[in-house]
Amino acid sequence: MAATTDVPTLVINADDFGLSEGINRGILEAFHAGALRSASMMVTMPAFGDAVCRAKATGPALGIGLHFTLTAGRPLTRASSLVDRDTGDFVGPTTLLVRALTGRIRHNEVEDECAAQIARAREAGIELTHLDGHHHVHLAPGIRGAVQRVLVAERIPAVRRPVERLYGIPKWQRRLPERVLIAMLSRGGGPERAGILTTDYFVGSTLLGARDFHSALVRVLDTLQRGTTELMVHPGYVPGPLPGADPYTAQREVELRGLTAPAVLQRLHSGRIRLAHFGELGAVPSFDVRQSIAARGESAEPSSRVGG
């Protein structure tokens, strides 16, 4: 395939839209500043209604995906293999992964819950551009295949592939065990085989909780590779405890300040980066597949990744 552009395409996606009103406010502040054009919505969280109102007010410039949730709050369906028997709440991420690895997750319950969360967003008038998973739950054994079947059936065009390069990127030493585990869970049977779009690259785990978030973000923007990249971020305001005792609190405002800093905005709007949301990926010009494969160190196989 002939190369048609040298300008990297960047999807900066804000997770946890709907978790709290302060997070919603921070995400929209970043959007209006020109720092991002994509967010993932949690339809089972307390500030979902507020997120819907804010999303509708922005119009189509802000792409909205589903932040598929299996580790916080309560399910919309009967999902006994996904919940704590005593409370009826979803189990935590560690328990969910153990159940998944030991074959104790019922595929049909995952499919039903995923479809129900998609339906709740659509019933609220949200056109979904993509899906990603809270705590990357959409990658776990017994969950990934079920989610992909729902994506195909519901015609959700894109999904997050959160595989970050293990070295040769800014702050590559951070969260290394977690990133290795994600890479292992992502092997084989990927979304591209089902015709679902993903980006060529992913960044974000290395920046999560980084004290020098702003300077690290600048280095990420200065070293973007040709093709498409998703940058996962978590901006927001957190004046008090979050639903589900989510531990990521004060760092959200650090991320918001970093995203809206002049040096970052200057780079995003310099003409050297194409800022997009997932709904626009199908229109991204292609680039040389073999060059991308070599950069990722993967085997050459048919792919529906944008640019692939």
Side-chain angles (χ1 to χ4, degrees), residues 63-196:
I64 302 294
L66 176 69
H67 199 48
F68 181 44
T69 306
L70 294 179
T71 56
R74 293 195 167 201
L76 302 178
T77 60
R78 295 176 61 88
S80 59
S81 68
L82 303 172
V83 300
D84 183 298
R85 183 183 304 175
D86 296 328
T87 66
D89 294 337
F90 284 124
V91 297
T94 301
T95 301
L96 183 73
L97 182 58
V98 170
R99 289 187 185 182
L101 292 172
T102 54
R104 290 185 285 153
I105 298 293
R106 296 192 184 100
H107 300 184
N108 64 305
E109 292 184 350
V110 176
E111 291 182 21
D112 290 347
E113 181 62 26
C114 186
Q117 292 188 25
I118 290 171
R120 174 166 283 192
R122 286 175 168 168
E123 288 164 2
I126 300 297
E127 181 179 352
L128 295 172
T129 59
H130 68 285
L131 177 146
D132 54 53
H134 189 47
H135 299 131
H136 303 313
V137 295
H138 66 299
L139 298 180
I143 295 176
R144 183 171 63 168
V147 169
Q148 289 183 14
R149 288 191 291 274
V150 174
L151 292 178
V152 172
E154 297 292 339
R155 299 190 177 187
I156 304 296
V159 68
R160 171 179 288 166
R161 183 177 179 270
V163 179
E164 200 166 29
R165 290 171 58 194
L166 297 182
Y167 58 89
I169 57 175
K171 304 192 78 64
W172 66 267
Q173 302 97 331
R174 297 193 76 246
R175 307 177 75 91
L176 194 56
E178 172 190 315
R179 288 158 51 217
V180 169
L181 176 60
I182 289 171
M184 292 174 62
L185 292 175
S186 299
R187 287 180 179 172
E192 59 271 15
R193 293 182 180 273
I196 304 165

Side-chain angles (χ1 to χ4, degrees), residues 260-275:
T260 56
V264 170
L265 296 177
Q266 186 278 327
R267 284 165 169 79
L268 291 176
H269 299 282
S270 65
R272 297 191 295 272
I273 295 172
R274 178 178 183 263
L275 197 61

